Amino acid sequence: MSSTESNVLRAFAYSKEFLVGGSATTTACLFTNPLDVVKTRFQLQGELQARNSYQIKYRNVFDAFLKIARHEGIKGLQKGLVSGLAYQIVMNSTRLGLYQTILNSGVTVDSKGEQVFWRLLIAGAVSGSCGALLGNPFYLVKVQMQSAAARDIAVGYQHSHANLVHGLRNAYRSPGGLFQGLTSALCRVSVGSATQLATFTRIKDSVQRSGLFEGNLSIVVVSSLVSSVAVTMAMTPFDVIATRMFNQKHGAFYTGWLDCVQKMYKIEGARGFYKGTIAHYFRIGPHTILTLIIWDRYRKWFL
């Protein structure tokens, strides 16, 4: 086999890792997008307002589901779905594909062949940051479309995008451009990706070595359950900040990531960074579990 043919086959093998990663997360997104809509509304509720000083539109996750369905119809629970799918394809194809490529290179294991947690964290953060950079325009439109609500239950700044293309056009013409909120996205995804993938990989590796569970699917389920809790706790503050930065009319509330942190802490207190934590887990928990299980299955079936 010539060196050219070898390089082509290697490139094809790498590209399959990226395609499998994107396919896994888009499949999960179809089921979890309504939870993402609810989470976004919670994170914008009472924006830069002291506790008990604003009208509560959504009291809990179930109340939010019912109100959105009542005022906006079932379609309201799938707002931003196309934008979300586009984001998953671009961001997670890059994130999961690059992460698995790094694992395949062997740089995350020690001399005994065991996964080193801090190396996994770096691999997850780097791959996540690359994905966040490429997916930023789609995440921007997704957040803005999910926040758009019926007047009686509206929270946060209200954008009027008819669809993904219209949203991208509006974002391109706005002062913030397609990369509004990029710093917050990089922080959000690097922390979330590092926590999610490193925890999943390390626990899966440890459980496999321990022999506590029989069957690979059981190991993947246990590992993804633990990972979903870890990523929710680590990522929620950064997720709230990102939602605020993406949804604002450029510069209306925050001049930058640090300004957002300072204003939120001053007005809303530390609890403001954990707004919608339960809603976030209802969204990120199933999404993490579905993504990691589907990703693992797809890799076994297609690679």
Side-chain angles (χ1 to χ4, degrees):
M1 182 183 293
S2 67
S3 59
T4 301
E5 291 174 327
S6 178
N7 289 334
V8 169
L9 289 175
R10 190 179 297 112
F12 180 66
Y14 286 152
S15 67
K16 287 198 294 183
E17 290 286 5
F18 287 77
L19 290 172
V20 165
S23 298
T25 54
T26 51
T27 303
C29 182
L30 290 171
F31 296 97
T32 61
N33 192 70
L35 297 164
D36 204 13
V37 174
V38 170
K39 179 217 66 166
T40 299
R41 303 285 178 90
F42 267 103
Q43 292 177 340
L44 291 170
Q45 184 167 245
E47 183 173 14
L48 293 186
Q49 298 179 68
R51 195 179 178 203
N52 299 323
S53 68
Y54 57 89
Q55 181 185 0
I56 296 177
K57 302 291 181 68
Y58 308 104
R59 298 192 175 278
N60 53 57
V61 172
F62 303 105
D63 180 57
F65 264 103
L66 289 173
K67 285 181 176 176
I68 293 172
R70 186 185 308 127
H71 287 84
E72 302 171 38
I74 299 300
K75 285 186 177 180
L77 290 167
Q78 285 289 12
K79 282 189 173 178
L81 177 60
V82 175
S83 306
L85 291 172
Y87 174 69
Q88 297 296 334
I89 291 170
V90 175
M91 194 279 280
N92 278 309
S93 292
T94 304
R95 182 176 76 99
L96 296 180
L98 182 56
Y99 179 76
Q100 189 60 50
T101 300
I102 294 172
L103 292 191
N104 293 346
S105 72
V107 298
T108 60
V109 298
D110 59 19
S111 57
K112 298 178 182 178
E114 295 182 359
Q115 297 288 355
V116 180
F117 191 66
W118 67 265
R119 294 180 185 177
L120 293 172
L121 285 172
I122 293 174
V126 170
S127 58
S129 296
C130 293
L133 175 63
L134 296 176
N136 198 84
F138 302 105
Y139 191 81
L140 173 65
V141 176
K142 178 187 78 72
V143 170
Q144 293 180 352
M145 292 188 73
Q146 290 177 337
S147 67
R151 186 173 61 179
D152 291 343
I153 56 171
V155 291
Y157 185 81
Q158 298 293 288
H159 298 267
S160 56
H161 306 318
N163 50 51
L164 172 59
V165 174
H166 185 231
L168 290 171
R169 187 185 301 120
N170 289 344
Y172 177 77
R173 293 171 177 172
S174 72
L178 293 171
F179 289 92
Q180 175 179 317
L182 178 60
T183 301
S184 64
L186 292 173
C187 293
R188 171 188 177 273
V189 179
S190 61
V191 171
S193 181
T195 305
Q196 181 194 62
L197 296 178
T199 303
F200 174 74
T201 304
R202 187 68 181 88
I203 291 175
K204 182 183 175 185
D205 185 61
S206 298
V207 173
Q208 283 176 328
R209 291 174 181 276
S210 71
L212 290 174
F213 293 90
E214 294 184 2
N216 188 66
L217 182 58
S218 298
I219 295 172
V220 172
V221 170
V222 171
S223 303
S224 61
L225 281 169
V226 176
S227 177
S228 68
V229 175
V231 72
T232 300
M233 297 311 298
M235 189 179 175
T236 294
F238 300 95
D239 195 57
V240 174
I241 294 167
T243 298
R244 301 285 182 87
M245 291 294 296
F246 278 111
N247 192 64
Q248 70 165 341
K249 185 176 182 180
H250 181 67
F253 295 131
Y254 320 105
T255 57
W257 188 86
L258 186 58
D259 182 56
C260 180
V261 172
Q262 291 174 335
K263 285 180 177 176
M264 282 184 62
Y265 182 76
K266 181 179 179 180
I267 300 173
E268 301 176 54
R271 295 182 64 166
F273 294 99
Y274 282 90
K275 276 188 174 179
T277 299
I278 295 176
H280 191 206
Y281 179 74
F282 271 111
R283 186 267 167 185
I284 204 70
H287 188 83
T288 294
I289 294 166
L290 285 171
T291 293
L292 296 178
I293 291 174
I294 294 169
W295 181 41
D296 182 81
R297 295 294 92 186
Y298 280 4
R299 291 196 73 253
K300 287 195 172 296
W301 293 339
F302 302 120
L303 297 180

